[in-house]
Amino acid sequence: MLAYPRVMPHGPEGAQGRCLFIVLEGVDGSGKSTQVAAVARWLAERGRDVLTTREPGATELGTAIRNIVLHSARPVTPWAEVLLYAADRAQHVAEVVRPALEGGRDVVSDRFLWSSLAYQGAGRKLGSVEVAAANREAVADVKPDLLVVLDVPYEVAHARLEGDPDRIEAEPREFHERVRAAFLDLARRFGAPVVDGARPEDVVTKDVIALVDDLAKGSAG
Ligand code: TYD
């Protein structure tokens, strides 16, 4: 299956070393956006040029797709949902991620391919192999240098959500438990670090930054 089998030696070998593509994944309410900001701040403090981004909705097209996929009043079929997220990703990679990496910037993204494998592959029960196949051209050869899964139990994640639930947030507990289990399974299979996101924010940040520090040290050498 396609879950980053290829290596992408992206970016120029600048003075700061190779630029980095860092992805944070996890269930809704796992604290990704807070940690994305913390990682970006940490990298910027070390003189690196950093771009933060997210899926879905980082481009103009993506904003329209996000609105449809999360707020459509009419039913969206599971495979239409897969393809909408894949379309958002294709545009995101082509318009934002790849140009930034090739231009020497680090990119820190709130979600990427694994969100589709977990939410659509496991949550919607479409299968991770099938969903990965639908994303092949969208992702192309772009591969995270570091992917961190923030793991939070359902009760904790659910309690953190604010406002009216969107189409995905409104899914029942079983759906979100499948998504959480899928992230943990992907992490185990592909050797991605899992950080316990249920702890206080600063403690979580310390663990996430330690992983980024290791990566940055490795890439600068
Ligand atoms: P997110 O931006 O994390 O939500 P919020 O803005 O509410 O914090 O993600 C939006 C939703 O989209 C989230 O419920 C997860 C879902 N999603 C998928 O189902 N598949 C995907 O491929 C992606 C990228 C997101």
Side-chain angles (χ1 to χ4, degrees):
M1 73 178 265
L2 181 146
Y4 313 122
R6 286 167 289 185
V7 174
M8 180 197 179
H10 49 63
E13 300 276 339
Q16 66 175 15
R18 194 163 71 78
C19 49
L20 305 172
F21 182 31
I22 298 169
V23 172
L24 270 75
E25 293 276 16
V27 298
D28 296 88
S30 57
K32 290 176 286 76
S33 50
T34 306
Q35 299 305 327
V36 162
V39 168
R41 213 165 31 245
W42 187 89
L43 288 167
E45 281 165 10
R46 274 142 197 87
R48 300 183 71 105
D49 190 2
V50 193
L51 177 78
T52 60
T53 187
R54 69 167 185 177
E55 291 189 356
T59 62
E60 192 179 320
L61 177 66
T63 303
I65 292 172
R66 182 186 172 90
N67 196 34
I68 295 168
V69 81
L70 293 179
H71 303 293
S72 174
R74 308 279 304 156
V76 177
T77 73
W79 271 105
E81 188 176 280
V82 169
L83 296 168
L84 285 165
Y85 281 115
D88 170 75
R89 187 162 296 123
Q91 194 71 21
H92 184 218
V93 166
E95 197 179 312
V96 178
V97 178
R98 188 189 296 280
L101 293 171
E102 289 177 356
R105 303 182 81 184
D106 293 336
V107 176
V108 187
S109 184
D110 184 338
R111 302 190 182 282
F112 196 54
L113 173 65
W114 282 18
S115 279
S116 283
L117 305 187
Y119 282 85
Q120 283 66 53
R124 299 280 185 227
K125 300 186 177 174
L126 297 178
S128 61
V129 174
E130 290 78 0
V131 172
N135 276 273
R136 202 157 61 94
E137 297 302 324
V139 172
D141 57 352
V142 173
K143 175 188 181 290
D145 297 290
L146 174 66
L147 186 159
V148 181
V149 171
L150 288 182
D151 183 52
V152 174
Y154 175 80
E155 292 82 1
V156 176
H158 194 68
R160 286 177 179 171
L161 299 182
E162 291 168 351
D164 290 340
D166 60 38
R167 277 187 60 252
I168 302 275
E169 287 167 354
E171 288 295 327
R173 177 179 182 140
E174 304 77 63
F175 176 96
H176 292 284
E177 296 281 16
R178 284 197 297 278
V179 172
R180 180 187 181 205
F183 277 128
L184 293 176
D185 185 52
L186 284 162
R188 192 176 47 73
R189 279 161 55 203
F190 293 96
V194 177
V195 169
D196 175 0
R199 298 166 301 161
E201 195 180 297
D202 55 328
V203 181
V204 178
T205 300
K206 207 160 151 279
D207 282 4
V208 172
I209 293 298
L211 294 164
V212 177
D213 193 15
D214 282 351
L215 176 72
K217 276 186 192 131
S219 84

